[in-house]
Amino acid sequence: MHEYTSTARVWGLSCPGFPEEVSRARRWTRDILRGSPLADDAELIVSELSANAILHTASGSQSGSFHLALAVSPQVVALSVTDEGGTGTAPKVERQDDQAEHGRGLGMVSALAHRVVVYDSHGGYTVTAELFTQARTAGGNQC
């Protein structure tokens, strides 16, 4: 293979920060990953990350938006959601008690994904969840 040739494919989608856009993000993910055994988990992850962007950041304001990237290679499916920030704190997995009604989303994402990484994105944050096409023993979930 030529050194500049890649088998990875990358898609992007920008959405206004309206709640109904979460279903659009899910549908978009499902359509791209149609036939993949990772499609259901990827759809759930995108749904949770998109909803978090709308509910907990400036992405959910009247003029806000959030951005998705989906990269697919033979080894990994990587899903990223970038928000517009405005909270002052980075997203993180929190341990909740049995009665908690909120705060479980990133924990669920972390349980589904092989790796979760939060990046500071110039005023906002990008949360990337990676699903490996084959189980790997080294590494583990990060957040």
Side-chain angles (χ1 to χ4, degrees):
M1 176 186 308
H2 188 274
E3 69 179 300
Y4 297 115
T5 303
S6 171
T7 58
R9 300 212 41 201
V10 179
W11 292 262
L13 178 68
S14 292
C15 298
F18 303 125
E20 57 270 18
E21 293 298 314
V22 173
S23 63
R24 178 177 171 216
R26 289 176 56 192
R27 196 170 44 252
W28 177 80
T29 303
R30 186 177 55 243
D31 288 346
I32 291 170
L33 295 176
R34 182 167 283 126
S36 168
L38 301 174
D40 290 341
D41 287 348
E43 181 182 352
L44 186 56
I45 288 168
V46 163
S47 179
E48 182 59 37
L49 296 180
S50 298
N52 282 353
I54 291 171
L55 292 171
H56 303 297
T57 75
S59 293
S61 68
Q62 180 107 14
S63 61
S65 62
F66 63 99
H67 311 279
L68 295 98
L70 175 57
V72 178
S73 76
Q75 296 80 26
V76 67
V77 171
L79 310 140
S80 297
V81 175
T82 301
D83 65 46
E84 293 187 347
T87 61
T89 59
K92 64 182 182 218
V93 175
E94 295 181 5
R95 304 284 179 223
Q96 300 294 332
D97 66 28
D98 293 342
Q99 303 303 315
E101 295 181 13
H102 302 286
R104 297 176 190 249
L106 280 180
M108 177 191 62
V109 169
S110 183
L112 290 172
H114 292 94
R115 185 166 71 150
V116 177
V117 182
V118 178
Y119 301 96
D120 191 339
S121 292
H122 305 297
Y125 292 95
T126 299
V127 180
T128 299
E130 297 176 352
L131 299 166
F132 300 140
T133 56
Q134 307 216 352
R136 296 185 181 183
T137 56
N141 296 353
Q142 295 179 350
C143 197

